[in-house]
């Protein structure tokens, strides 16, 4: 088969680009521990509602005085459905799912994470002002995905 000189150049160029991109993916995963967009902490999804820290989700104060929210995203609700946190303090969210992939987005803020079964998603955010925010699932998770919502209420911090 005769391949034109310029066509041969294009084939070699395209193959080199594919090789470079694949190398970048593998190199990033191996050398920089690139992993799914959740915390690398894992747990068995079957234990979420019985034996893990997520069996009784809610807001609590950790030993060091920090505010921690443990929450479960499941078909088709958040537990707790209403979360109350203080304004002006760092709030650490820890979330997981017992069933499928969900999203956890506090609308109008930069609090937004994927909630992946088998993983604990964690992020810390400070809400500067008191207010009420809509909590949404932004990953399609089933027929009632559009009804999966909750409320986050940021309260004036106690003096
Ligand atoms: Cu949960 Cu969409």
């Amino acid at each position: 088969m005769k391949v034109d000189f310029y066509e041969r150049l294009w084939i070699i160029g395209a193959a080199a680009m594919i090789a470079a991109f694949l190398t970048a993916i593998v190199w990033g995963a191996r050398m920089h521990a690139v992993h799914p967009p959740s915390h690398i902490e894992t747990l068995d999804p079957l234990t979420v509602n019985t034996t893990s820290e997520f069996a009784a989700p809610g807001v609590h104060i950790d030993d060091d005085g920090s505010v921690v929210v443990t929450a479960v995203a499941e078909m088709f609700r958040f537990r707790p459905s209403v979360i109350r946190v203080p304004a002006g303090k760092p709030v650490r969210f820890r979330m997981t799912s017992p069933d499928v992939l969900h999203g956890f987005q506090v609308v109008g803020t930069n609090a937004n994470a994927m909630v992946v079964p088998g993983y604990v998603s964690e992020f810390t955010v400070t809400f500067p002002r008191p207010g009420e925010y809509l909590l949404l699932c932004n990953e399609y998770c089933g027929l009632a995905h559009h009804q999966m919502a909750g409320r986050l209420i940021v309260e004036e911090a106690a003096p």
Side-chain angles (χ1 to χ4, degrees):
M1 186 177 74
K2 183 187 180 309
V3 181
D4 184 76
F5 173 70
Y6 289 109
E7 194 167 358
R8 190 187 307 268
L9 281 188
W10 277 109
I11 292 171
I12 293 169
M17 276 168 59
I18 291 170
F21 294 154
L22 288 176
T23 304
I25 291 171
V26 173
W27 181 74
R30 297 299 298 260
M31 305 305 286
H32 296 286
V34 175
H35 53 78
S38 61
H39 212 236
I40 50 175
E41 191 179 337
T42 57
L43 84 173
D44 181 354
L46 296 176
T47 68
V48 165
N49 290 327
T50 51
T51 55
S52 73
E53 67 169 293
F54 298 96
V59 182
H60 66 274
I61 308 296
D62 229 357
D63 293 338
D64 61 0
S66 60
V67 182
V68 180
V69 177
T70 55
V72 175
E74 62 190 8
M75 294 160 136
F76 293 99
R77 60 178 181 164
F78 294 104
R79 285 188 302 125
S81 60
V82 179
I83 299 172
R84 291 173 186 276
V85 297
K89 273 190 174 180
V91 178
R92 187 154 56 98
F93 286 85
R94 287 174 55 77
M95 296 159 301
T96 195
S97 161
D99 42 48
V100 299
L101 179 71
H102 297 279
F104 183 98
Q105 180 181 7
V106 184
V107 177
T109 74
N110 64 353
N112 187 356
M114 287 169 90
V115 184
V116 186
Y119 289 90
V120 177
S121 299
E122 183 176 314
F123 65 83
T124 302
V125 64
T126 302
F127 301 99
R129 282 173 298 282
E132 192 171 325
Y133 298 89
L134 178 64
L135 190 60
L136 275 187
C137 175
N138 58 11
E139 298 284 347
Y140 183 73
C141 53
L143 286 179
H145 157 73
H146 60 286
Q147 290 175 347
M148 188 167 167
R151 277 190 304 154
L152 181 99
I153 299 171
V154 181
E155 298 175 318
E156 199 77 61

